[in-house]
Amino acid sequence: MKKTYESYKEHLLKIAHLNSALALLSWDQEIYMPPKGAEVRARQFSTLSAMVHELSVDPEFEKLVDHLIHKSSFGFKEMRNLQETQESILQNKKLPTTFVKKGAMARSEAFQTWEQARKEEDFKVFAPALTKIVALEREKADLLGFKGHPYDALLNLYEKDLTVVKLEKVFTQIKNDIVPLVKAISEKEQVDDSFLYQVYDKEDQFEFSLGLLREMKYDFNSGRQDISTHPFTINFNANDVRVTTRVNKNDIAEVIWSTIHEGGHGLYEQGLPSNNYGLPSGEYVSLGIHESQSRVWENNIGRAKHWWNYLYPKLQSVFPNQLGEIALDTFYRAVNKVQPSLIRTSADELTYHIHVLIRYEIEKSLMEGEVEIVDLEELWNSKYQEYLGVTPSKPSEGVLQDIHWSHGSLGYFPTYSLGSLYAAQFYAQAEKDILGLPLQLESGNVDAFLKLMRKNIHQHGKLYTAEQLCEKFTGEPLNIAHFVKYAKEKYRGIYGV
């Protein structure tokens, strides 16, 4: 292996190509793969994951990276790429190839049993696979190492340097500022959203969702949208970014905000520098920042009256019988209704954080070994009753609603709350940086906003940490006060609190 930066890039390209192949297999598994393909698909995941891991910890590659870093003759971007890669090598070396293969096999099998369990509405179908997943995640934490809580090792995989200590502060602020707001709203007269739950033709819903993505400037020459059990975004490179949505014939809101949410993720991936494919500078920085890009579109823009001044007549024209007599203000209030509910992905933007808090507390307990899988459904239901005053009537409304555990993604959920907090801060800055942003949104013009995200977030890849990006863009680190201010102003107008 030549000791050049070009050799370094070529090696990372091999890894990127294999990861793209894995992503394509994953996308196919969730969209098209027939049930009988599951067994061989699990082996395919295992084989390719092992190949990626072996390339990632190749001793010759590690020597090359060390050599290039010590040359110290590179510019900022090249040095940051090398530093990120070195950190990744050191982390990957802690995980034996046999462990990586075992984990890939377990995750593929778990996804199949999760889907089966949802269809049968029986958590016991998924429990054995989840038991294996949690055991592997505990082992992973031990292999990676941690200074404080074992959960810290997993949190760090999704949001660098995130710890239980930091999250406790975040969720304490949410409990102090957001929970009282939810309580105050609960004492007010509730808005009427019943018209959202009429019968809406599923094909018309899907066609409207495609139009929504176009309005957001999602590039269909570099992506596509499909239907899946759980909406998600997956990328193979910046020029092939795919999103999925979920359509419910009795709930028009589900397809709209699933589409906008995943569209925000898709725009971030399409905005990463394509000529940096395979390099850290061509990858998203963290899941908290990634989630900020979906939540800012879903809530700060997508649930604001400004944009719906433009979009609502289009929606009414597709569903005149259901919405023709419903005023924009009535629609706006309905789609911002705050009420405890069972499903995280369709929760309002205030109680959403409580859904995340519940998952955070459960995952932390799983990593501590304080709760057994056999007791998980009961624990889930009791927490929902305690925090939100609702109890699932079936597992798909409760412990089986999220796909994340079947993917082995313990430590992922807290980034959802971080993303909403970043989103409010980024949107507040956008209102300062873009003259007349609300008026632009009222005319359907999102170009200036997307350009601002491209400039301050997307183009940088992993050149900066999440905290550094936030400070460069807004002049301060993550500050929950922006979300609190946004929430209080918005819901004062809707509920008079």
Side-chain angles (χ1 to χ4, degrees), residues 236-249:
F236 312 119
N237 57 76
N239 295 316
D240 190 350
V241 180
R242 307 182 189 189
V243 298
T244 71
T245 192
R246 183 163 55 199
V247 180
N248 182 339
K249 71 175 183 178

Side-chain angles (χ1 to χ4, degrees), residues 168-214:
E168 289 294 333
K169 293 179 181 177
V170 169
F171 285 120
T172 296
Q173 285 183 284
I174 287 171
K175 289 176 182 177
N176 290 342
D177 292 308
I178 301 305
V179 173
L181 180 58
V182 172
K183 185 178 185 299
I185 289 172
S186 71
E187 296 170 355
K188 297 290 184 177
E189 182 180 353
Q190 189 52 277
V191 301
D192 178 19
D193 66 344
S194 58
F195 58 88
L196 297 173
Y197 304 103
Q198 304 174 71
V199 176
Y200 291 85
D201 182 80
K202 293 177 77 169
E203 289 187 9
D204 289 342
Q205 286 192 55
F206 187 73
E207 283 302 312
F208 181 77
S209 74
L210 295 176
L212 269 177
L213 289 174
R214 293 187 186 97

Side-chain angles (χ1 to χ4, degrees), residues 162-414:
L162 184 61
T163 64
V164 166
V165 171
K166 291 180 180 179
L167 280 176
E168 289 294 333
K169 293 179 181 177
V170 169
F171 285 120
T172 296
Q173 285 183 284
I174 287 171
K175 289 176 182 177
N176 290 342
D177 292 308
I178 301 305
V179 173
L181 180 58
V182 172
K183 185 178 185 299
I185 289 172
S186 71
E187 296 170 355
K188 297 290 184 177
E189 182 180 353
Q190 189 52 277
V191 301
D192 178 19
D193 66 344
S194 58
F195 58 88
L196 297 173
Y197 304 103
Q198 304 174 71
V199 176
Y200 291 85
D201 182 80
K202 293 177 77 169
E203 289 187 9
D204 289 342
Q205 286 192 55
F206 187 73
E207 283 302 312
F208 181 77
S209 74
L210 295 176
L212 269 177
L213 289 174
R214 293 187 186 97
E215 295 289 353
M216 294 172 67
K217 307 304 178 183
Y218 175 84
D219 183 2
F220 277 96
N221 288 320
S222 299
R224 57 178 288 131
Q225 180 177 250
D226 292 278
I227 301 290
S228 67
T229 305
H230 191 296
F232 67 95
T233 300
I234 197 164
N235 76 300
F236 312 119
N237 57 76
N239 295 316
D240 190 350
V241 180
R242 307 182 189 189
V243 298
T244 71
T245 192
R246 183 163 55 199
V247 180
N248 182 339
K249 71 175 183 178
N250 299 120
D251 182 358
I252 186 64
E254 191 160 326
V255 71
I256 291 174
W257 280 278
S258 290
T259 298
I260 296 174
H261 180 95
E262 299 306 331
H265 282 305
L267 288 173
Y268 184 11
E269 293 287 353
Q270 289 183 342
L272 293 170
S274 58
N275 59 343
N276 285 197
Y277 168 65
L279 293 166
S281 53
E283 299 172 354
Y284 69 87
V285 62
S286 77
L287 284 183
I289 295 296
H290 220 312
E291 191 66 14
S292 79
Q293 299 306 284
S294 62
R295 298 295 278 182
V296 74
W297 281 96
E298 179 187 356
N299 291 328
N300 303 87
I301 292 177
R303 293 186 193 271
K305 191 183 290 186
H306 309 301
W307 203 30
W308 281 102
N309 270 297
Y310 169 75
L311 289 175
Y312 191 51
K314 295 178 182 292
L315 183 62
Q316 285 179 306
S317 69
V318 179
F319 300 107
N321 295 331
Q322 296 91 336
L323 300 174
E325 301 300 317
I326 304 296
L328 171 61
D329 188 62
T330 303
F331 177 81
Y332 165 71
R333 287 165 59 84
V335 301
N336 285 289
K337 180 179 181 178
V338 173
Q339 187 176 53
S341 61
L342 292 166
I343 307 300
R344 175 186 60 84
T345 55
S346 56
D348 62 81
E349 57 186 320
L350 298 187
T351 61
Y352 185 87
H353 292 285
I354 302 174
H355 289 263
V356 175
L357 171 62
I358 289 170
R359 287 154 177 78
Y360 160 68
E361 289 186 348
I362 289 175
E363 288 190 346
K364 188 155 64 81
S365 295
L366 284 171
M367 291 304 295
E368 291 168 346
E370 290 186 354
V371 58
E372 297 301 324
I373 301 301
V374 68
D375 301 318
L376 203 55
E377 185 172 15
E378 181 181 351
L379 176 63
W380 180 287
N381 293 350
S382 67
K383 282 187 175 291
Y384 263 80
Q385 184 59 47
E386 176 189 353
Y387 281 109
L388 290 168
V390 295
T391 302
S393 62
K394 52 187 178 180
S396 62
E397 292 179 343
V399 71
L400 289 177
Q401 69 177 268
D402 296 302
I403 199 171
H404 301 62
W405 289 343
S406 74
H407 284 172
S409 299
L410 277 75
Y412 190 127
F413 283 117

